[in-house]
Amino acid sequence: MVKQEHTKDINPLKKSINWIQHPLIKPEKIESRLYQQALAAQVLKKGNTMIVAPTALGKTIVAALVSAERLNRIPSSKILMLAPSKPLAVQHEESLKEFLKAPVNVLTGSITPDKRVKLWEKSQVISATPQTVESDVIAGRYDLKDVSLLIFDECHRGTGNYAYVFLANRYMREGKDPLILGLTASPGGDEEKINTVCQNLFINEVMVKTEDDVDVKPYFKPIEIKWVFVEMGKEQKKIKAHLDKVLKNRLKGLKNFKIITSISNVSRRDILQARGRVQNRISRTANPHRDCLLAMSMITAVINLQHALELLETQGISNLHHYFQKLKKKKTKASRGLFQNEDFNAAVQLTRRAYTKKIEHPKMTRLLKILKKELLKDQQIIVFSQYRDTVNEIHSKCEKEGIKSVKFFGQASREKEKGLTQKEQKQIIKNFRKGLYQVLISTSVAEEGIDIPSVDQVILYEPVPSEIRMIQRRGRTGRKTEGQMTVLITKGTRDESYYWSSLNKEQRMKNQLTRDFPQSNISLDRSQTKISNGGKQEPAPEDEIPPDNLVIYVDHREAKSGVVRELSNLGVKMKFSTLDVADYQISEDIGVERKSAQDFTSSIIDKRLYKQAKDLSEQFSKPVIIIEGKNMYAGGLHPNAVRGSLASLAIDYSIPIIPTRSPEDTAAMIYRLAMRELEKGSMDAPLRTEKKPLSLQEQQIFIIESLPNVGPVTARKLLEKFGSVKGVINAEKDELTQVEGIGKVIAQKILDVIDSDFMSRRAAPDIELKLSDILEEK
């Protein structure tokens, strides 16, 4: 496949370098390493392969070697490399351009669809984000039939509804000569998860390279791992004692209700599973027993207490204090019950005093000592913490100590802090690489998917229970020189549990990877194969091939849903647009609103449901609502409130409700509805991107509804009383109060709106109606 070229350096102190020689690899760009060539050769020989290797062992180079040979064998084909983030996709584009003699381009969501199509057509090697390619393939902008190699970077993400799963399925159906290569440093410690990834991505072979392999050792830079243990402070121990007492009391209550079997070592997962069981029990009866409702309140309190203890033990006083403040603002029964508890209030008071005295977690003091000592060696360091509050606190301390540091976190905004845009993230990394900062303080966003430069040391403010995240954090050091990782652990806390958990999972992962995996039996005749998201294959009967004239209009907000993926897998043609009403328009008569079980309960609470139902029934003669998910009673609402809403949809709005189990089931139902319409010859439908024009009566009601505290019912009563919009506008205060629902306060507010001179918003009087005024009047 490849040849070696021997280059002798004119400097006698430097060793000579052997370079890879290949028709499609640029000269003197890839150093010849036997283990990389062996891995590439095995991929070409054995087919769909996952390569598991530590960071810095050159997985991208292996991908380049395989890519070059595939293009050499199939010159008219394309190579597609997928990465989970835009920065990483751009990084791969740069690497592949450096290595390969072929047109290379990158495709991301920031490029317009039309330009992406042109780039796809003119490129032979494409680096892209999976969501972008998925969107384009579903929209029919291009297909994967000419791709001779599909590379999944960070392939451990190939589970559930992630875009990797859809694209692997589509590629194995469409590709003329498919070959899949998965790359990861950590596929996971659970055998079931590893098998799931292999099935979803059609992996036949798993090849593992470790730092202990003989052919790898000469190139591997060892990483020294230090575990630094600290004791909790006196104040923390006092707070912990009170919180432990409250938690124990709540757990005893759950045990008495037979919700849990033991009160020792109860994990968050145990509590979430218990909550599911109680919610299921509540949903099965019209009048849930009082004990069930009390148990739900206890479970919520336990979740709050467990989180408070985690913040206290692993983060510090400041984080806990802010959490208590947020919790107090909640008006739930669980929150009120906690603040009525003597021990909980004692913990809150002690936390407030410690916060006022600026008492810190002992980890913070130890961290600053480590940073000062290591920075004397002119090192660059990354500090990881799970919580943005802790990142902010560490950054503040570093600034006070004169340490040149910078914060790095995700794009999501919080109450008082905006997220970082990708452009800002890129600039921070660029400045860090230039040496403008000594310390990068980051949340988990820097673990993968972002081109972080190698550093001298990585410090973990807390251990994480995930072996994948632990390996990824460790991989940020030791790439070019010997690296070091320091992990701060609070003795006798969940820090220690997480530490042992990650070590055991990583060892279990290594043990699993040394075993043989069952090979995927991929049918050679892929044209007659239906491949589901689970990786299983079932024969596709002829009558499931959709006719060419079957087209479903889809609201663009549904484009990333699992339903759209599955409709695409079924071969359904879709046109994306902005639908003012409904998520899917099947025909002129049928519009479908899809709601997950969670969204259904949320829309009851915020009252979106009834407006959507009204619009749906007005726009379509045969409206349909699909509720997707196994348990619509799990959203915290009383079951009777859910049942009442279902009854209202069916009776008041005459809308059929169809339950489905999953996005796949929903897609199958929408497909079946479309096929029925097609058979009846009623598929030709004008696209409804706008609502039908309002009738005169509806316009009148709409105008009156805009008055303060006037809903549709009151608006109708006002119009019936005064005969017209003009009559309502000209009515006196005493006349308005004669209408049911209009008291003196509301009447005055209406007149204020009608009679007041128009002013700018800044100068306008405050005419907001207080709830207390309305209640007092009623």
Side-chain angles (χ1 to χ4, degrees), residues 516-621:
D516 292 332
F517 284 87
Q519 297 202 352
S520 302
N521 298 314
I522 299 173
S523 170
L524 294 176
D525 183 11
R526 293 183 304 278
S527 63
Q528 293 300 314
T529 302
K530 177 177 180 284
I531 307 174
S532 69
N533 278 348
K536 298 175 182 177
Q537 302 174 63
E538 299 169 358
E542 291 293 332
D543 62 358
E544 283 196 10
I545 299 173
D548 290 337
N549 60 338
L550 190 150
V551 178
I552 295 175
Y553 291 98
V554 183
D555 185 78
H556 69 89
R557 287 162 290 195
E558 281 283 298
K560 295 182 180 179
S561 74
V563 176
V564 167
R565 291 192 197 105
E566 191 61 23
L567 283 170
S568 179
N569 277 335
L570 290 170
V572 175
K573 289 181 183 177
M574 290 172 281
K575 290 186 179 180
F576 294 88
S577 185
T578 301
L579 301 182
D580 200 55
V581 178
D583 295 317
Y584 301 86
Q585 183 181 334
I586 290 173
S587 67
E588 186 174 6
D589 295 327
I590 298 180
V592 178
E593 179 75 21
R594 180 187 76 96
K595 288 190 175 295
S596 66
Q598 183 179 358
D599 182 43
F600 179 68
T601 54
S602 298
S603 66
I604 296 172
I605 295 168
D606 61 23
K607 299 182 180 178
R608 280 181 294 121
L609 179 64
Y610 306 107
K611 184 180 184 306
Q612 289 171 333
K614 179 174 178 287
D615 291 342
L616 197 64
S617 59
E618 288 174 352
Q619 296 295 305
F620 296 98
S621 60

Side-chain angles (χ1 to χ4, degrees), residues 168-442:
N169 277 298
R170 180 56 62 91
Y171 179 55
M172 292 307 298
R173 290 173 61 182
E174 290 184 350
K176 293 176 183 175
D177 190 1
L179 177 63
I180 288 176
L181 173 58
L183 307 173
T184 182
S186 45
D190 182 72
E191 180 181 2
E192 185 179 349
K193 183 181 178 183
I194 298 172
N195 280 327
T196 298
V197 172
C198 289
Q199 287 180 356
N200 288 348
L201 303 186
F202 301 91
I203 299 297
N204 292 328
E205 193 75 23
V206 177
M207 292 193 287
V208 183
K209 277 290 169 186
T210 71
E211 56 268 29
D212 298 323
D213 291 342
V214 175
D215 54 352
V216 170
K217 271 190 176 181
Y219 306 99
F220 188 78
K221 307 300 179 185
I223 299 173
E224 180 188 2
I225 301 177
K226 291 183 178 178
W227 306 92
V228 177
F229 290 87
V230 300
E231 291 275 1
M232 273 204 302
K234 291 180 181 177
E235 292 81 2
Q236 284 174 289
K237 288 180 179 178
K238 289 179 183 176
I239 296 167
K240 179 174 164 56
H242 286 292
L243 291 178
D244 280 339
K245 192 173 178 181
V246 185
L247 178 60
K248 188 176 180 181
N249 180 267
R250 294 297 190 278
L251 290 173
K252 279 183 177 178
L254 292 176
K255 187 181 178 183
N256 290 338
F257 284 140
K258 297 183 179 179
I259 305 297
I260 57 176
T261 56
S262 171
I263 64 171
S264 60
N265 299 320
V266 180
S267 68
R268 181 179 174 82
R269 177 184 288 183
D270 296 331
I271 291 301
L272 292 177
Q273 289 174 346
R275 184 174 68 180
R277 291 193 297 271
V278 175
Q279 286 174 334
N280 189 40
R281 193 180 303 174
I282 290 173
S283 69
R284 292 201 303 263
T285 175
N287 295 299
H289 195 277
R290 182 177 175 277
D291 288 351
C292 287
L293 301 176
L294 185 57
M296 279 299 297
S297 179
M298 284 184 179
I299 287 170
T300 304
V302 167
I303 292 171
N304 293 333
L305 288 163
Q306 286 180 331
H307 184 62
L309 282 164
E310 181 176 350
L311 292 176
L312 174 68
E313 294 173 356
T314 70
Q315 303 303 307
I317 295 294
S318 175
N319 297 58
L320 182 61
H321 175 67
H322 291 138
Y323 178 64
F324 281 154
Q325 286 183 315
K326 288 178 185 176
L327 195 60
K328 194 165 188 177
K329 291 177 183 177
K330 292 184 178 180
K331 302 301 179 184
T332 62
K333 187 175 180 180
S335 175
R336 290 197 304 270
L338 286 173
F339 280 95
Q340 290 168 2
N341 182 279
E342 185 179 342
D343 281 293
F344 188 81
N345 271 314
V348 172
Q349 296 300 327
L350 287 170
T351 302
R352 186 184 296 120
R353 283 181 215 152
Y355 177 75
T356 305
K357 294 177 184 178
K358 298 184 177 179
I359 293 173
E360 301 163 351
H361 197 292
K363 282 185 186 179
M364 188 66 70
T365 306
R366 183 63 67 89
L367 172 64
L368 292 172
K369 284 182 181 178
I370 293 170
L371 289 175
K372 288 177 184 176
K373 179 182 175 183
E374 298 300 328
L375 290 174
L376 292 174
K377 303 173 188 176
D378 196 28
Q379 289 192 349
Q380 274 199 308
I381 298 172
I382 295 180
V383 178
F384 279 108
S385 174
Q386 293 212 80
Y387 293 92
R388 199 187 287 187
D389 285 344
T390 305
V391 167
N392 288 332
E393 194 173 350
I394 295 170
H395 178 253
S396 175
K397 298 293 181 185
C398 285
E399 293 292 293
K400 289 177 183 177
E401 295 293 335
I403 297 171
K404 290 186 290 183
S405 66
V406 63
K407 298 183 290 184
F408 192 78
F409 43 81
Q411 298 177 45
S413 296
R414 297 179 54 189
E415 293 175 1
K416 298 179 182 178
E417 185 175 40
K418 285 187 176 180
L420 294 173
T421 64
Q422 283 194 340
K423 186 177 180 180
E424 289 170 331
Q425 289 177 342
K426 200 170 182 180
Q427 189 59 48
I428 289 171
I429 298 304
K430 187 177 179 181
N431 292 339
F432 184 59
R433 186 179 277 108
K434 285 180 178 178
L436 299 181
Y437 303 112
Q438 299 166 293
V439 181
L440 182 79
I441 309 160
S442 178

Side-chain angles (χ1 to χ4, degrees), residues 758-776:
F758 178 75
M759 290 179 278
S760 68
R761 185 176 178 180
R762 189 171 295 176
D766 179 15
I767 60 169
E768 183 180 355
L769 194 63
K770 292 182 181 178
L771 181 62
S772 57
D773 292 338
I774 298 172
L775 293 176
E776 184 179 344

Side-chain angles (χ1 to χ4, degrees), residues 117-133:
V117 172
K118 291 176 182 177
L119 286 171
W120 177 271
E121 290 171 350
K122 74 176 187 179
S123 303
Q124 204 166 12
V125 180
I126 300 108
S127 176
T129 53
Q131 295 84 0
T132 302
V133 177

Side-chain angles (χ1 to χ4, degrees), residues 134-148:
E134 178 188 51
S135 172
D136 288 345
V137 168
I138 288 173
R141 298 186 183 107
Y142 49 78
D143 56 46
L144 305 178
K145 65 181 180 182
D146 292 325
V147 174
S148 61

